[in-house]
Amino acid sequence: MKRPEADKRAFARVEVQCEVTVSEAGRLRRYAGVAKNMSGRGVLFSLEREFPVGARLGLHIAPDNPVTPPLDAVVEVVRVEARKGHGFDIGGVIREVQDLIDVIPDDHAAL
């Protein structure tokens, strides 16, 4: 797929539509949202709550497709835009991806 000339990103974006769960570093409260697109380096998701640029968030993405494993990562917020009506679109750079063994320790023996 050819990308527009104006798109100079290192990784192409892939449109997604799946649930995300977000938590602030060091806090227990979780917020539900929807992933909108992803790339090899970042993610765009929608939440009802705003987070400041620079915030580090725990992110869990659970694809609807049972063949695709979930993604658990730490993202840094780099962009926040208020949506018309309510909520926010939040762009984040993926800073760390949790290892599958860390995410699903009971399956370690099966690997």
Side-chain angles (χ1 to χ4, degrees), residues 6-76:
D7 190 353
K8 303 291 185 190
R9 292 179 179 86
F11 298 96
R13 291 182 180 190
V14 176
E15 298 297 319
V16 295
Q17 186 73 25
C18 55
E19 294 180 10
V20 298
T21 305
V22 175
S23 59
E24 291 180 88
R27 308 245 172 149
L28 296 176
R29 184 161 183 195
R30 299 185 187 282
Y31 303 91
V34 176
K36 298 176 90 173
N37 67 50
M38 297 180 66
S39 73
R41 187 164 179 237
V43 60
L44 177 67
F45 55 95
S46 295
L47 287 177
E48 294 299 316
R49 186 193 188 290
E50 180 178 18
F51 286 96
V53 170
R56 292 180 72 86
L57 306 174
L59 182 73
H60 174 79
I61 299 178
D64 294 331
N65 181 341
V67 176
T68 305
L71 171 69
D72 287 286
V74 175
V75 299
E76 180 180 342

Side-chain angles (χ1 to χ4, degrees), residues 101 104-111:
I101 294 171
I104 311 171
D106 294 338
D107 287 347
H108 179 66
L111 298 175

